[in-house]
Amino acid sequence: LDTSSGHHSSPGSSGAPSGTTTLHFDKVFREDQQELFAQLQPALLSCLGGASCTVLAHGGPQSGKSFALSGLFTSGETHGIAPRAIQVITEEIERMAGSV
């Protein structure tokens, strides 16, 4: 994983020309749940205006993918991306509906 260039190469399928698959990415996040969501929130809200948005958690076993996406449901501080996104998008839809 080369976080400076935005590339990750891994063994690919037998049909891959070089035997590897290269993934291109914009950023590797190392923040806590709250800071991570603050950086993703503008992209997530842009989908309400028609933009496409994908949040992908990639990594090996036990690397924190599920925790990043779902978090813990015990308190708002430890909620992951999905529960936070549902809350913020629902609030934004309600706000938009109220301004019509």
Side-chain angles (χ1 to χ4, degrees), residues 42-98:
L44 293 170
L45 289 176
S46 72
C47 70
L48 295 175
S52 295
C53 177
T54 301
V55 176
L56 173 71
H58 176 72
Q62 303 293 314
S63 63
K65 300 176 297 292
S66 295
F67 182 72
L69 292 175
S70 61
L72 301 175
F73 295 101
T74 55
S75 74
E77 230 175 77
T78 58
H79 285 171
I81 296 166
R84 290 172 192 264
I86 291 167
Q87 179 181 356
V88 168
I89 289 171
T90 301
E91 289 170 356
E92 184 64 14
I93 290 170
E94 290 171 353
R95 187 192 67 74
M96 292 166 67

Side-chain angles (χ1 to χ4, degrees), residues 14-45:
S14 58
S18 66
T20 63
T21 299
T22 300
L23 304 173
H24 302 277
F25 56 89
D26 297 322
K27 182 171 172 72
V28 172
F29 292 97
R30 301 191 191 286
E31 291 79 10
D32 67 21
Q33 298 288 39
Q34 193 168 2
E35 292 168 357
L36 173 62
F37 187 76
Q39 290 190 41
L40 295 174
Q41 185 172 346
L44 293 170
L45 289 176

